[in-house]
Amino acid sequence: MPKVVDHARRRREIVWALWAVIHERGIDGVTFRAVAAEAGVSIGRIQHYFESKEHLIRCGAEEIVAGAEQSYRDGDSHTDPRAALDTLLTQPVPTTGPSLIGASVWYAYLARAVSDPWIRGFITDASRGTVREAERLLGSAGLSAEHAHAAAMRLVALSNGATQSVLVGAMEADVANHLITREIDRTFDDTDGPIASRTEATERTYDRAHPGR
Amino acid sequence: MPKVVDHARRRREIVWALWAVIHERGIDGVTFRAVAAEAGVSIGRIQHYFESKEHLIRCGAEEIVAGAEQSYRDGDSHTDPRAALDTLLTQPVPTTGPSLIGASVWYAYLARAVSDPWIRGFITDASRGTVREAERLLGSAGLSAEHAHAAAMRLVALSNGATQSVLVGAMEADVANHLITREIDRTFDDTDGPIASRTEATERTYDRAHPGR
């Protein structure tokens, strides 16, 4: 009986090894040899799944975005657009060692975007997709189309900037999450849309950020 | 007569070559040999100014921050705290090819912050310094101390996030500048502080972003 091979798993393990190499040596440090050593597999196995180094690097970016989208879709907040917005915007904020490493790999791709048109286009699409989803949720929660677009751009920029502050250690993750959730509240309070009371999520985040309160 | 040597200039040219190497090959691609080739000087001359590769890489980060601070101090908006705040927060948004490259070098340092404690500490200090300066300006412009700190954190995060969107091509620079300037206005309108009319700078930015209006 032939051995059953879990190709999706093997491929995923190679991508994980790629991320470790990017974290340690940057995107320019990526070689099939380095990734094979990190994954503990042969170079031939990597070539079986990825036709070139560039292909592997591109798949690494795609997997980061696919993982974030999956984790967003798996959230249980989809019946409430405001809670979904909170999840969408606070999810990128790194809270643990592994997610800090993940964020640093993403920053390596961002730095590369200026000189690599494929990476640039891919990140632009991903970033616009996040703005569109935020806009859709703001609309579902009652904001006018006019307000929703401007607010989505502002909220996504704030989420990216807060994520950056946490990455470099200039802000605690719970402060960043509170900043984002408070800004979602402020966006609703500012407009002619329905002025809902603060979501439970806001209060939970705030309580975590200010345990003594 | 001995030749007069402009040491500051020679040192600066080496740092510029370092940035070009980081942009092309990432921080891990930095070697004295690569920087010497890029600068068109001998390895010995680089060793004259920088004792090690790490020393050179650290000086590269320091020069980015020093250059930004110098350019902020040289601005002519220092008599008006609100205009100074606008300069502080819109200045990082890259608008031209060279400033896009500068931003990408900064992102390479950000990505490295997770694994390099010196870079992490340096960026944390720089980031906190920006928040403190924003807080000081907001206070001078009439915001209460309580409002000023929260608003400074929010505005700096927004500036960083908008800069990131421009870097990857997901947002035009003038849209990012308008977003930041509009948020400064909103910060004043929101509080019990003096509700000034929109600054001229806001209107100019908006007109640039919406030429047909």
Side-chain angles (χ1 to χ4, degrees):
Chain A
M1 206 176 123
K3 207 166 79 176
V4 176
V5 176
D6 184 343
H7 285 290
R9 189 197 165 105
R10 283 191 168 178
R11 198 178 175 285
R12 206 163 53 232
E13 283 170 355
I14 294 168
V15 170
W16 288 342
L18 165 77
W19 292 342
V21 171
I22 291 176
H23 175 62
E24 296 256 319
R25 312 188 195 182
I27 288 179
D28 256 320
V30 174
T31 58
F32 276 174
R33 183 176 302 276
V35 175
E38 178 70 37
V41 302
S42 68
I43 292 177
R45 182 178 291 180
I46 295 183
Q47 286 169 328
H48 176 77
Y49 292 100
F50 302 95
E51 63 191 36
S52 67
K53 194 176 81 172
E54 284 61 42
H55 180 217
L56 174 58
I57 290 170
R58 290 175 185 189
C59 289
E62 287 170 343
E63 286 296 323
I64 293 177
V65 171
E69 284 177 353
Q70 187 62 49
S71 142
Y72 169 64
R73 277 196 303 270
D74 289 348
D76 57 357
S77 53
H78 287 230
T79 47
D80 174 7
R82 196 158 164 169
L85 188 65
D86 194 84
T87 302
L88 179 73
L89 298 172
T90 58
Q91 180 184 276
V93 175
T95 47
T96 61
S99 61
L100 275 172
I101 291 171
S104 112
V105 172
W106 185 240
Y107 273 74
Y109 280 106
L110 288 175
R112 193 68 166 213
V114 175
S115 55
D116 184 319
W118 187 92
I119 292 178
R120 184 177 172 86
F122 178 75
I123 294 180
T124 297
D125 286 349
S127 177
R128 289 194 174 143
T130 307
V131 172
R132 268 198 308 275
E133 175 64 5
E135 197 173 342
R136 186 185 73 76
L137 293 167
L138 286 161
S140 303
L143 249 70
S144 70
E146 183 201 345
H147 279 129
H149 180 66
M153 286 211 303
R154 192 180 67 243
L155 286 167
V156 171
L158 186 78
S159 167
N160 287 338
T163 296
Q164 181 177 316
S165 294
V166 173
L167 175 81
V168 300
M171 200 187 275
E172 298 296 326
D174 50 7
V175 173
N177 285 333
H178 178 61
L179 190 70
I180 294 164
T181 305
R182 172 69 193 86
E183 186 63 18
I184 295 171
D185 288 332
R186 196 159 156 269
T187 299
F188 284 94
D189 294 350
D190 249 19
T191 64
D192 299 321
I195 302 186
S197 64
R198 287 188 186 168
T199 58
E200 269 186 58
T202 315
E203 293 308 324
R204 278 202 310 276
T205 307
Y206 194 76
D207 290 347
R208 278 203 307 274
H210 300 80
R213 211 182 133 98
Chain B
M1 206 176 122
K3 210 166 77 176
V4 177
V5 177
D6 183 345
H7 285 291
R9 188 197 167 104
R10 282 191 170 176
R11 197 178 176 285
R12 205 162 55 233
E13 283 171 355
I14 294 168
V15 170
W16 289 342
L18 165 77
W19 292 343
V21 171
I22 291 176
H23 175 62
E24 295 256 319
R25 313 186 194 183
I27 288 177
D28 256 320
V30 174
T31 59
F32 275 175
R33 184 176 301 276
V35 175
E38 180 69 37
V41 302
S42 68
I43 292 177
R45 181 177 292 180
I46 295 183
Q47 285 168 329
H48 176 76
Y49 293 99
F50 303 96
E51 64 190 34
S52 67
K53 193 176 83 171
E54 284 61 42
H55 180 217
L56 174 59
I57 289 170
R58 290 174 185 189
C59 289
E62 287 170 345
E63 287 295 323
I64 292 177
V65 171
E69 284 176 355
Q70 187 62 49
S71 140
Y72 169 64
R73 277 196 303 272
D74 290 348
D76 56 356
S77 52
H78 288 231
T79 47
D80 174 8
R82 194 157 166 171
L85 187 64
D86 193 84
T87 302
L88 180 73
L89 299 171
T90 58
Q91 181 182 274
V93 175
T95 47
T96 61
S99 62
L100 275 172
I101 291 172
S104 112
V105 172
W106 186 241
Y107 273 74
Y109 280 105
L110 289 174
R112 193 68 168 215
V114 174
S115 57
D116 184 318
W118 187 91
I119 292 179
R120 183 176 170 87
F122 178 75
I123 295 180
T124 297
D125 287 348
S127 177
R128 289 192 174 143
T130 307
V131 172
R132 267 199 308 277
E133 175 64 5
E135 198 172 341
R136 186 185 74 76
L137 293 168
L138 286 161
S140 302
L143 249 72
S144 70
E146 182 200 345
H147 279 130
H149 180 66
M153 285 211 303
R154 191 179 69 243
L155 286 167
V156 171
L158 187 78
S159 167
N160 288 337
T163 295
Q164 182 176 315
S165 295
V166 174
L167 176 80
V168 299
M171 199 187 275
E172 298 296 325
D174 50 6
V175 173
N177 286 333
H178 178 60
L179 190 71
I180 294 164
T181 305
R182 173 68 194 87
E183 187 62 19
I184 295 172
D185 287 333
R186 197 159 154 265
T187 299
F188 284 95
D189 293 349
D190 249 19
T191 64
D192 300 320
I195 302 186
S197 64
R198 287 188 186 167
T199 57
E200 269 187 57
T202 315
E203 293 308 324
R204 277 202 310 276
T205 307
Y206 193 75
D207 290 345
R208 279 203 305 273
H210 300 81
R213 209 182 133 99

